[in-house]
Amino acid sequence: MDLGPRRGERCLLGLLLLEATCGVLRMSRLQGLLWDDDPPERARRTVHTYVARLRSRLRPHDVQIVTHSTGYRIDVDPQRVDVHRFVAEIDRARALPDPAHRADALARALTLWRGPLLADVAGDDLRARVGLALEERRALAIELRAQADLQCGRNDQVAAELTELTAQQPTRERLAELLMLAYYRAGRQADALEVYRRSWRYLHTELGVQPGWGLREVHTRILRSGPVQDLVDGRRATP
């Protein structure tokens, strides 16, 4: 679908699609998102122009932008929108009892995430405003997939996949826990303990906090060469 070169129009369409399952996107919120809470005097007229142009481009694809008294709503099947398919697939995968099926379903869902949200039309501030919940859902899906893979005994695969991710996201302690468990179950206890040391240094030095109970418990079990299957399965006694 050719949406033309205008960034504002493509950004508006992206915002409407993100809200496709939520109803009407209010005009005041739409203007605030498009212009970083500082809309120009003619913002409303500009939005109307964007919508008119988009309607002509979307009409052949059976997608409609519907006007309401307070804003706009896009009429489209959510299953035609990657972000909504992504959310639905993750929810479906989490309900699967078999870890192999769950891991495969989560992997398929994650392939729908093809880059930063609204990558070519939005800056970091706008992405943070509209996409934090989606980013968190994606991060959780990665952790759940790694956990399911560990339950299937795919220790080396998990270790390979999480090594770079833990470096990129040092505050996500569950990633570090899963990487430690993968190393430990693969017979690489020294590597597992090094993950803990790196996590501790970052949390202590950069944030001034101690690792959470989960990370400490994994560390203690590994030091004692103890069983960790309950931690792999996500079953933990309260500290």
Side-chain angles (χ1 to χ4, degrees), residues 81-92:
V81 183
D82 281 352
V83 68
H84 301 302
R85 289 174 56 206
F86 169 76
V87 170
E89 285 294 314
I90 289 175
D91 290 342
R92 185 185 71 82

Side-chain angles (χ1 to χ4, degrees), residues 74-105:
I74 194 161
D75 186 5
V76 62
D77 181 355
Q79 287 301 302
R80 295 178 64 185
V81 183
D82 281 352
V83 68
H84 301 302
R85 289 174 56 206
F86 169 76
V87 170
E89 285 294 314
I90 289 175
D91 290 342
R92 185 185 71 82
R94 294 180 67 177
L96 296 175
D98 181 75
H101 293 162
R102 190 163 64 251
D104 291 344

Side-chain angles (χ1 to χ4, degrees), residues 96-201:
L96 296 175
D98 181 75
H101 293 162
R102 190 163 64 251
D104 291 344
L106 286 165
R108 288 194 299 272
L110 287 165
T111 63
L112 295 170
W113 193 281
R114 299 187 176 94
L117 195 68
L118 303 175
D120 61 341
V121 296
D124 291 340
D125 289 343
L126 179 55
R127 271 194 291 274
R129 292 180 66 176
V130 300
L132 281 181
L134 287 169
E135 291 281 1
E136 178 60 28
R137 190 180 290 261
R138 174 177 178 253
L140 178 60
I142 291 171
E143 294 171 359
L144 291 172
R145 179 195 172 191
Q147 178 179 314
D149 281 331
L150 283 178
Q151 290 176 295
C152 297
R154 301 166 183 165
N155 305 312
D156 291 332
Q157 174 184 319
V158 172
E161 291 175 351
L162 294 191
T163 298
E164 184 175 352
L165 281 175
T166 54
Q168 294 172 348
Q169 303 179 56
T171 61
R172 293 199 72 90
E173 295 186 36
R174 183 56 176 162
L175 281 180
E177 292 174 28
L178 292 165
L179 180 55
M180 290 174 68
L181 292 167
Y183 278 144
Y184 179 61
R185 285 160 52 103
R188 300 168 60 180
Q189 183 169 342
D191 289 329
L193 295 174
E194 178 58 28
V195 172
Y196 181 82
R197 284 191 288 269
R198 288 200 305 267
S199 295
W200 185 92
R201 282 195 299 268

Side-chain angles (χ1 to χ4, degrees), residues 178-226:
L178 292 165
L179 180 55
M180 290 174 68
L181 292 167
Y183 278 144
Y184 179 61
R185 285 160 52 103
R188 300 168 60 180
Q189 183 169 342
D191 289 329
L193 295 174
E194 178 58 28
V195 172
Y196 181 82
R197 284 191 288 269
R198 288 200 305 267
S199 295
W200 185 92
R201 282 195 299 268
Y202 181 86
L203 293 169
H204 179 74
T205 304
E206 299 296 327
L207 303 180
V209 299
Q210 296 295 319
W213 181 85
L215 194 56
R216 298 197 312 271
E217 178 67 11
V218 173
H219 180 241
T220 299
R221 298 273 190 100
I222 291 173
L223 281 176
R224 296 174 179 172
S225 299

Side-chain angles (χ1 to χ4, degrees), residues 29-48:
R29 173 167 165 77
L30 183 54
Q31 291 181 39
L33 293 172
L34 287 173
W35 286 284
D36 296 326
D37 289 327
D38 186 23
E41 184 176 338
R42 297 168 61 88
R44 181 177 289 268
R45 182 174 297 181
T46 300
V47 170
H48 292 331

